[in-house]
Amino acid sequence: LSSQSLQLELLLSGYALRGELQVCPARRFCPKLIWRWTCTDRSGTPVPAYYVTTPVFYVNSLPHIGHVYSAVVADCSHRYKILQGVNSRFATGTDEHGLKIQQAAATTGKDPLTFCTEVSNRFRHVFRRCGISYTDYVRTTEDRHRQAVEQFWTVLVNNGFIYRGSYEGWYSVPDESFLTETQVVDSTDSLGRAIKTSTESGHKVEWMKEDNYLFRLSDLRHKLQHWLRSNPRVIQPEKFYYIVLQWLESDLPDLSVSRQKSRLQWGIGVPGDPEQTVYVWLDALVNYLTVAGYPEQHSRWWSVVHHVVGKDILKFHAIYWPAFLLAAELPLPQAIHVHSHWTVQGKKMSKSLGNVVDPLETSLKFTVDGLRYFLLRQGVPDTDCDYDDDKVVKLCNSELADALGGLLNRCTAPSLNPEQVYPQFCNTSFPKEPEEFNGRAVLEDYKMVEAVLRLPALAKENFEKLHAYKALEAISGCVRMTNGFIQRHAPWKLNCRKTEDKLWYDTVLHVSMECLRIYGILLQPAVPSLADKILSRLGVGPGERSWDHALDFLSRYEGRDCPYERRALGPNTGLLFSRLERKNVQEKHQKPGK
Ligand code: MSP
């Protein structure tokens, strides 16, 4: 303790947390003491931090496969960062205010909070079931969030970005969005009546005229353009970056950021004005700051925030949100990762079409890993993808059951590995230089080893960009090569009574298991339970599964010791992934009475 500060140090298995008591910079005029924490490793180097978010999900409808996709993409990134030794935080939650929730609650006859709690719990349940390992679950009806929104609003007012005005224009309740004349078109409803709809979402819009508060969005156009031009990779994929730049070239009127309380009661009141409610998108976007600890403790996490969003909410995240942050003098997001949508037979999922894919039912039919693998392997950020049960069955059967499961079986089945160990590697059979010692490995085998040696770097590059589909594609290609390696040398045909054959037999198994160990480590972010099954069966301990452990591939071939050699395998827990049968799947898991 000095006269300046109070410091506290906690040492936790190799990591050190150092805390310092400081005056909160956000409360200069009404000081409050807060702890500032830094996390360092054994050598005193700060541990890098990462904060990934999903959008908060509307509670007017139940979770579907599209929502789970946003969450799985973020979850995969969070798990990948942890494997890298990064201190990662992952937030998700529910968006519970606004007109459409107010209306949805009214149709059920429940009071809004009871209604929201029920649906929010459904999301939480689905996410837990799907292995979404969030560190924070936020509900916009929580008190901590209300406080964050009130403070954020006050800062915007104090910085001169909010003024009293009146809004007249189009509003879409399903999108909770204000639209300009150019963003609406003439259309007809199901009864043939003339209506106007949003060109982007197709939802019906209504004319609205209200006195409320406006945000000086138009003043921030140049700052937003400057931010984007100086950070050309901030919106991914590039296609969406250019879309946002184009939007900024067109009309950018000031934004209405409140609604009259007489129309919208279900929301956060505007500080100091009992007649107005904060616009639901401003309210919802602040959730990212709430989780980071705004207004008092957010700086550590806020400087490393990455948002995962669907393409339908790009404008809110790439224009409104950075504009609000600029106005509040807060750092802008490190990256906005945009993904496209899942359709069913080419159509948007909707209750009225009856084509909504239920993630719980799907995860029961195909297992959680099957569903996650399908979504991450097939989902591409640039274009919409079509969901189809048959596609899930085909992909999981060929890549998980046959290729990966077959490979594990060939290395560990008691008939092929009677000693149930990680066998020894023999340098004479598989020399580092193909010409040396007349080894038995052929050119194709060297190519495979090269490919697996390069795999972690390739997977890293793609997991960093949240392009899991490319990482999984590369892993799958290597799995195919390793199966080809075993097939080529058919160890089951060798006569193990001959010493030379036995050495080669063990080497083939050792190399294949080393490949599998790398695949197991790299698959952890995408299919955690399946990866755990592989690694546990190989006898790889919990402390041997970090990303760095994947960089130490086939060390015996490189002339170093191998810690796994001669180690007993883990218990045999059966098939890695049972083949899915489309017909059986339908019969076995159909809900009773359906
Ligand atoms: N509540 C807002 C987000 C506020 S964030 C400050 C919202 N909620 S949502 O429930 O409608 O959508 C949440 C996420 O699910 C979005 O990223 C959206 O793109 C995603 N998906 C909704 N339907 C989808 C598909 N059919 N396919 C893929 N993702 C889709 O918007």
Side-chain angles (χ1 to χ4, degrees):
L1 179 63
S2 76
S3 56
Q4 298 297 314
S5 65
L6 176 67
Q7 293 179 353
L8 186 73
E9 187 173 289
L10 298 170
L11 294 170
L12 311 152
S13 62
Y15 290 93
L17 262 182
R18 285 193 184 79
E20 192 173 332
L21 203 55
Q22 295 179 339
V23 175
C24 169
R27 309 208 5 183
R28 261 171 304 168
F29 307 111
C30 170
K32 181 175 175 189
L33 291 176
I34 53 159
W35 283 102
R36 287 239 168 275
W37 294 101
T38 50
C39 184
T40 59
D41 66 12
R42 228 171 270 145
S43 67
T45 317
V47 174
Y50 179 72
Y51 172 32
V52 62
T53 69
T54 70
V56 278
F57 299 89
Y58 283 132
V59 290
N60 64 312
S61 63
L62 293 176
H64 62 56
I65 211 92
H67 302 133
V68 168
Y69 182 62
S70 282
V72 170
V73 168
D75 181 63
C76 182
S77 173
H78 169 65
R79 287 177 185 267
Y80 158 74
K81 288 287 177 181
I82 291 174
L83 279 188
Q84 288 270 346
V86 172
N87 188 9
S88 179
R89 193 157 181 176
F90 166 25
T92 188
T94 41
D95 186 355
E96 306 185 9
H97 288 139
L99 258 185
K100 86 167 162 186
I101 310 296
Q102 184 176 302
Q103 290 169 359
T107 57
T108 63
K110 292 180 183 153
D111 79 276
L113 189 58
T114 309
F115 170 79
C116 290
T117 304
E118 281 175 15
V119 185
S120 183
N121 286 343
R122 285 288 285 268
F123 271 94
R124 216 191 280 248
H125 174 64
V126 168
F127 288 168
R128 289 223 182 109
R129 158 87 194 149
C130 294
I132 308 300
S133 56
Y134 56 82
T135 57
D136 296 81
Y137 192 89
V138 61
R139 297 180 55 188
T140 56
T141 46
E142 284 174 64
D143 212 41
R144 60 169 174 158
H145 176 69
R146 183 186 48 74
Q147 285 174 23
V149 172
E150 286 172 356
Q151 173 66 20
F152 192 78
W153 178 280
T154 308
V155 172
L156 296 186
V157 171
N158 291 347
N159 290 353
F161 279 88
I162 286 185
Y163 62 95
R164 200 76 223 207
S166 83
Y167 176 82
E168 186 167 1
W170 298 105
Y171 191 76
S172 157
V173 175
D175 304 318
E176 296 283 15
S177 173
F178 300 94
L179 301 157
T180 61
E181 222 28 88
T182 56
Q183 292 168 319
V184 300
V185 280
D186 289 320
S187 185
T188 47
D189 67 9
S190 52
L191 299 172
R193 289 174 300 202
I195 55 163
K196 296 262 188 195
T197 56
S198 154
T199 46
E200 214 181 302
S201 68
H203 288 134
K204 185 175 168 228
V205 298
E206 54 198 50
W207 188 255
M208 173 189 135
K209 187 166 185 246
E210 250 181 50
D211 284 343
N212 46 32
Y213 290 96
L214 294 163
F215 173 73
R216 295 190 194 283
L217 181 60
S218 52
D219 285 3
L220 291 162
R221 181 202 302 267
H222 295 300
K223 280 197 174 162
L224 289 170
Q225 285 171 329
H226 176 73
W227 167 61
L228 288 174
R229 296 221 163 94
S230 3
N231 296 279
R233 269 179 262 286
V234 76
I235 298 175
Q236 292 289 335
E238 210 178 32
K239 157 183 165 181
F240 295 109
Y241 169 79
Y242 288 110
I243 291 178
V244 176
L245 272 182
Q246 212 170 350
W247 282 338
L248 286 173
E249 293 293 325
S250 53
D251 210 14
L252 196 67
D254 285 352
L255 180 69
S256 168
V257 282
S258 71
R259 304 291 316 260
Q260 276 174 3
K261 194 140 217 160
S262 53
R263 302 220 192 165
L264 174 65
Q265 298 84 49
W266 187 235
I268 296 173
V270 165
D273 188 341
E275 297 307 314
Q276 297 275 325
T277 306
V278 175
Y279 172 41
V280 62
W281 266 102
L282 173 52
D283 167 346
L285 287 160
V286 172
N287 91 83
Y288 304 131
L289 278 169
T290 305
V291 170
Y294 183 82
E296 289 165 359
Q297 310 249 28
H298 55 281
S299 38
R300 168 167 172 70
W301 296 105
W302 198 247
S303 57
V304 290
V305 67
H306 288 63
H307 299 309
V308 172
V309 302
K311 63 177 185 180
D312 54 322
I313 52 175
L314 178 59
K315 180 179 66 185
F316 302 96
H317 285 83
I319 296 187
Y320 297 173
W321 184 224
F324 293 150
L325 291 168
L326 282 170
E329 295 174 322
L330 283 165
L332 303 189
Q334 295 293 296
I336 301 172
H337 301 276
V338 189
H339 64 74
S340 296
H341 281 180
W342 285 92
T343 54
V344 175
Q345 291 175 325
K347 295 206 176 74
K348 208 174 156 175
M349 277 183 268
S350 79
K351 259 192 251 165
S352 52
L353 287 176
N355 63 354
V356 175
V357 183
D358 175 358
L360 277 186
E361 218 175 289
T362 319
S363 71
L364 282 173
K365 283 197 284 193
F366 306 128
T367 75
V368 170
D369 282 319
L371 173 63
R372 287 177 65 111
Y373 189 77
F374 175 77
L375 292 176
L376 291 171
R377 171 86 167 89
Q378 294 287 105
V380 290
D382 283 274
T383 49
D384 287 352
C385 303
D386 208 49
Y387 177 87
D388 175 35
D389 276 359
D390 281 336
K391 280 198 212 164
V392 186
V393 171
K394 270 191 203 138
L395 181 82
C396 290
N397 281 350
S398 78
E399 296 194 359
L400 299 183
D402 297 347
L404 204 55
L407 181 58
L408 182 66
N409 192 44
R410 283 167 151 184
C411 296
T412 60
S415 54
L416 292 165
N417 186 336
E419 290 167 72
Q420 292 289 283
V421 290
Y422 215 100
Q424 271 177 305
F425 177 86
C426 166
N427 287 86
T428 320
S429 314
F430 206 139
K432 185 112 200 274
E433 300 304 329
E435 315 75 49
E436 259 183 298
F437 309 126
N438 278 332
R440 296 175 73 160
V442 298
L443 196 63
E444 289 303 295
D445 305 340
Y446 287 92
K447 281 194 189 153
M448 178 196 72
V449 168
E450 278 304 308
V452 183
L453 270 170
R454 279 196 309 268
L455 185 63
L458 193 60
K460 177 178 174 181
E461 186 189 327
N462 289 301
F463 277 133
E464 284 289 341
K465 292 191 210 153
L466 279 77
H467 289 170
Y469 71 103
K470 280 198 186 158
L472 296 179
E473 188 183 24
I475 296 170
S476 171
C478 283
V479 171
R480 217 174 308 123
M481 290 174 103
T482 311
N483 271 320
F485 167 70
I486 299 196
Q487 196 64 36
R488 193 159 47 246
H489 298 297
W492 47 88
K493 288 192 185 153
L494 294 172
N495 177 1
C496 283
R497 277 187 294 267
K498 286 203 226 150
T499 314
E500 206 190 290
D501 272 14
K502 170 71 173 139
L503 289 174
W504 177 229
Y505 186 101
D506 283 354
T507 302
V508 171
L509 248 57
H510 180 101
V511 172
S512 308
M513 284 173 138
E514 272 293 274
C515 292
L516 255 177
R517 184 177 64 82
I518 306 303
Y519 307 149
I521 292 178
L522 304 187
L523 281 170
Q524 291 175 98
V527 279
S529 330
L530 195 101
D532 171 56
K533 242 178 157 178
I534 297 174
L535 295 169
S536 298
R537 181 71 175 118
L538 295 180
V540 177
E544 298 169 326
R545 299 178 179 191
S546 76
W547 198 268
D548 282 354
H549 285 91
L551 306 181
D552 194 16
F553 168 60
L554 211 53
S555 48
R556 290 278 282 101
Y557 169 80
E558 304 284 348
R560 285 175 279 116
D561 283 345
C562 169
Y564 313 100
E565 211 170 37
R566 304 291 317 150
R567 189 187 281 188
L569 293 185
N572 185 355
T573 50
L575 282 183
L576 177 68
F577 190 90
S578 304
R579 275 184 74 79
L580 304 166
E581 294 292 341
R582 174 85 170 97
K583 267 196 206 141
N584 295 351
V585 153
Q586 269 178 332
E587 285 155 16
K588 244 201 307 196
H589 297 285
Q590 208 132 57
K591 278 186 184 162
K594 203 175 174 188

